[in-house]
């Protein structure tokens, strides 16, 4: 969960704008005959629109041995089609005063543009084209494969913290594809070819495996007309499966620990991740409790861990928590503690465990919980000023198996969670047999040289 901007803290004293309290998203949904789902979020304050195409296909939907192909294909979709030359898609968006981009995660791949509202039809036309008409060559494969390998070099191979996180993910998930990095394992990325890209494309890129989210200065009738015109003629793919078939986690029965040593580490720290439930359709209360637990334990300077470990005990210079329940399968709840000078990683971990045990024993501070709920409510209201943020919220939720109704009910569910529910969720999740603990530290031999990947 993103931490709240500092400006929101003042709202605790001043209160929310009265007119903002009753605002609900103006959301309309419909489905085309070919199975394409469309979500329209009206916001007529500015003549702009965000157009997003979300595919229910991310790196966790790859077949074993082909890790990284989902992200690889995201790059390749900016190559040509039957009617668009390589690079022409983004060029046309820019020439029409817009911006575009894309991203890949475990559960989805999304492509989006922000343009003037009267350019929406053009965006739909181009996205519909590359949904089914991608044209790739062997040279495209060679070029973009080197691009993604270099991206891995920069973001992962040459960053000890990223390598630690990658190793911990692989240890946390014994069987599920969430244990494989989104960008892929380098050894498998180097073998990705034209057949791999096309196989993933033809299996997952189809209207009945996609959700189009349009947010901004539009009406549902207008969006329906444009969607029928541009996406309507595309054929559905009968091989698209629902629900998504993925390897699931076996019973976890043993604590896992790892130590990652690297001479490039300037600041050692300890990290822990527990398996944790995600938001499920019609069943979001435990995820809501964990969302609040994340804020209570690690959400800023007034959180439990920062207050106890940093200010009272002087055991840490930083202590934080992290949890995101918007995923298709089980997520994780984690902590990171950076020890203070003179404090060992073992001592920092012991202080973390003692603080968690004390929290479970004493329970939630009611005043802190009220303050956090107020701040979350404020952040949700002010997020409405960004149509891109609203579109992402719905797209991410729907491609993670949730419904529009779940998205609408989520804020009220969070506000209704009690302290007792939060402690109960902590008791269930904080089980070391379902967790991995990692130490990031420099090697004992300070003369060791870093292995820089070129």
């Amino acid at each position: 969960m993103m931490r709240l901007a500092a400006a929101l803290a003042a709202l605790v004293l001043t209160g929310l704008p009265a007119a903002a309290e009753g605002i609900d998203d103006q959301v309309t949904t419909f489905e085309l005959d070919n199975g394409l789902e469309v979500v329209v979020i009206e916001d007529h304050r500015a003549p702009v629109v965000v157009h997003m195409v979300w595919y229910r296909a991310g790196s966790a939907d790859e077949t074993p041995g082909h890790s990284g192909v989902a992200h690889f294909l995201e790059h390749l979709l900016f190559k040509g089609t039957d009617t668009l030359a390589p690079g022409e898609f983004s060029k046309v968006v820019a020439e029409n005063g817009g911006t575009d981009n894309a991203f890949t995660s475990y559960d989805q791949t999304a492509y989006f543009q922000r343009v003037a509202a009267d350019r929406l039809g053009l965006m739909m036309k181009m996205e519909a084209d590359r949904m089914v008409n991608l044209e790739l060559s062997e040279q495209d494969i060679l070029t973009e494969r080197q691009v993604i390998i270099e991206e891995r070099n920069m973001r992962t191979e040459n960053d000890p913290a990223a390598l630690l996180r990658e190793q911990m993910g692989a240890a946390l998930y014994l069987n599920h594809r969430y244990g494989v990095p989104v960008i892929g394992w380098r050894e498998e990325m180097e073998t990705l070819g034209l057949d791999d890209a096309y196989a993933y494309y033809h299996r997952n890129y189809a209207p009945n495996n996609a959700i189009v989210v349009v947010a901004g200065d539009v009406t549902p009738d207008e969006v329906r007309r444009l969607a029928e015109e541009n996406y309507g003629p595309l054929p559905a793919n009968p091989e698209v499966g629902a629900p998504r078939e993925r390897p699931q986690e076996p019973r976890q029965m043993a604590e896992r620990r790892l130590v990652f040593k690297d001479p490039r580490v300037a600041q050692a720290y300890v990290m822990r991740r527990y398996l944790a439930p995600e938001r499920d359709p019609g069943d979001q209360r435990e995820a809501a409790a964990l969302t609040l637990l994340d804020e209570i334990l690690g959400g800023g300077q007034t959180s439990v861990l920062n207050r106890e470990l940093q200010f009272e005990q002087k055991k840490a210079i930083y202590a934080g928590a992290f949890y995101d329940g918007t995923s298709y399968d089980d997520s994780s709840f984690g902590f990171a503690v950076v020890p203070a000078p003179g404090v060992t990683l073992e001592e920092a971990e012991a202080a973390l465990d003692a603080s968690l045990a004390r929290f479970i024993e004493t329970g939630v501070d009611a005043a802190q919980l009220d303050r956090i709920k107020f701040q979350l409510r404020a952040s949700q209201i002010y997020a409405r000023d960004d149509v891109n943020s609203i579109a992402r919220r719905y797209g991410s939720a729907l491609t993670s198996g949730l419904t529009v109704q779940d998205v609408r009910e989520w804020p009220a569910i969070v506000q209704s969670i009690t302290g007792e529910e939060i402690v109960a969720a902590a008791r269930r999740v904080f089980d070391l047999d379902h967790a991995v603990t990692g130490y990031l530290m420099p090697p004992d031999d300070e003369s060791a040289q870093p292995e820089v990947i070129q």
Side-chain angles (χ1 to χ4, degrees):
M1 173 184 302
M2 296 182 63
R3 302 304 178 205
L4 300 175
L8 291 179
L11 293 174
V12 176
L13 299 178
T14 61
L16 296 175
E21 285 288 358
I23 295 178
D24 287 320
D25 297 326
Q26 292 182 269
V27 180
T28 302
T29 63
F30 57 87
E31 184 175 314
L32 303 187
D33 291 341
N34 58 12
L36 179 76
E37 294 182 32
V38 183
V39 178
V40 183
I41 307 164
E42 295 181 71
D43 184 338
H44 301 287
R45 289 177 290 179
V48 298
V49 64
V50 170
H51 171 247
M52 306 189 78
V53 179
W54 295 74
Y55 292 96
R56 296 184 185 88
S59 67
D61 299 290
E62 298 165 342
T63 55
H66 303 278
S67 65
V69 70
H71 173 249
F72 187 32
L73 183 61
E74 176 214 311
H75 280 244
L76 293 170
L77 233 70
F78 289 89
K79 299 298 182 181
T81 68
D82 293 340
T83 58
L84 291 172
E88 187 177 356
F89 190 108
S90 295
K91 181 180 178 182
V92 171
V93 174
E95 288 174 346
N96 281 271
T99 58
D100 75 317
N101 213 325
F103 61 86
T104 305
S105 64
Y106 287 113
D107 296 313
Q108 56 272 126
T109 308
Y111 303 84
F112 56 95
Q113 306 86 40
R114 182 185 177 98
V115 294
D118 62 358
R119 301 296 194 274
L120 176 60
L122 177 60
M123 299 302 105
M124 285 191 177
K125 178 181 178 180
M126 293 195 298
E127 281 289 14
D129 181 34
R130 68 177 177 179
M131 183 180 287
V132 296
N133 295 320
L134 183 63
E135 286 288 335
L136 299 175
S137 67
E138 289 291 351
Q139 186 58 47
D140 293 330
I141 296 298
L142 293 174
T143 301
E144 287 306 315
R145 188 170 62 201
Q146 192 55 45
V147 169
I148 62 170
I149 289 173
E150 180 57 28
E151 185 178 339
R152 179 179 169 86
N153 288 344
M154 294 174 58
R155 296 185 178 181
T156 306
E157 301 286 0
N158 293 319
D159 181 356
L163 290 170
L164 171 70
R165 292 192 297 270
E166 188 174 82
Q167 294 293 306
M168 289 185 66
L172 180 64
Y173 292 97
L174 303 177
N175 192 49
H176 197 283
R177 296 290 295 181
Y178 286 167
V180 178
V182 172
I183 199 167
W185 299 117
R186 183 187 177 95
E187 294 78 6
E188 294 181 352
M189 294 169 66
E190 291 173 340
T191 69
L192 292 175
L194 185 61
D195 290 344
D196 299 313
Y198 269 136
Y200 189 88
Y201 176 69
H202 292 308
R203 186 172 68 249
N204 294 296
Y205 281 53
N208 55 320
N209 202 37
I211 300 170
V212 170
V213 181
V214 179
D217 190 21
V218 292
T219 65
D221 288 344
E222 176 190 7
V223 174
R224 182 186 288 272
R225 176 181 62 80
L226 292 172
E228 291 279 9
E229 177 183 331
N230 293 284
Y231 292 111
L234 304 182
N237 180 358
E239 296 183 4
V240 170
R244 290 145 86 169
E245 296 182 0
R246 290 172 166 178
Q248 295 299 304
E249 278 299 290
R251 183 162 55 109
Q252 295 195 0
M253 300 176 288
E255 177 184 1
R256 280 136 288 162
R257 305 182 66 84
L258 59 88
V259 176
F260 191 90
K261 296 183 179 181
D262 193 294
R264 297 167 294 183
V265 174
Q267 177 63 66
Y269 64 81
V270 58
M271 178 178 287
R272 181 180 295 152
R273 291 178 63 188
Y274 299 87
L275 281 182
E278 80 283 10
R279 293 166 61 186
D280 286 322
D283 183 13
Q284 302 185 87
R285 291 198 70 83
E286 185 158 24
L290 292 172
T291 297
L292 291 167
L293 179 66
D294 172 24
E295 290 292 337
I296 290 168
L297 294 178
Q301 295 299 304
T302 60
S303 68
V304 169
L305 294 180
N306 266 293
R307 184 183 70 247
E308 294 187 0
L309 274 59
Q310 184 175 353
F311 298 113
E312 295 176 3
Q313 302 176 24
K314 311 296 185 185
K315 292 289 182 66
I317 59 175
Y318 170 82
F322 48 92
Y323 169 75
D324 183 358
T326 307
S327 63
Y328 192 79
D329 293 310
D330 274 355
S331 183
S332 69
F333 194 109
F335 299 100
V337 179
V338 180
V343 177
T344 67
L345 291 176
E346 291 81 2
E347 291 169 337
E349 182 187 358
L352 169 65
D353 286 333
S355 186
L356 296 180
R358 193 161 41 249
F359 169 78
I360 290 176
E361 179 66 27
T362 60
V364 175
D365 178 272
Q368 182 192 21
L369 179 57
D370 288 344
R371 182 171 64 251
I372 288 171
K373 286 182 176 180
F374 188 94
Q375 290 173 332
L376 290 174
R377 175 63 174 154
S379 70
Q380 290 157 358
I381 290 173
Y382 282 88
R384 298 177 192 277
D385 291 334
D386 182 357
V387 291
N388 182 68
S389 175
I390 298 173
R392 280 178 177 253
R393 183 168 72 245
Y394 279 88
S396 177
L398 296 179
T399 49
S400 297
L402 298 170
T403 67
V404 169
Q405 188 64 22
D406 291 320
V407 178
R408 287 171 166 164
E409 292 176 351
W410 174 251
I413 291 173
V414 171
Q415 295 296 318
S416 71
I417 296 297
T418 65
E420 289 75 16
E421 287 178 285
I422 294 170
V423 172
R427 288 184 186 275
R428 284 190 292 270
V429 169
F430 297 163
D431 181 346
L432 287 175
D433 284 347
H434 302 160
V436 56
T437 303
Y439 285 7
L440 180 68
M441 59 194 298
D444 299 329
D445 179 8
E446 296 296 338
S447 66
Q449 295 298 313
E451 180 187 0
V452 179
I453 305 298
Q454 300 294 337

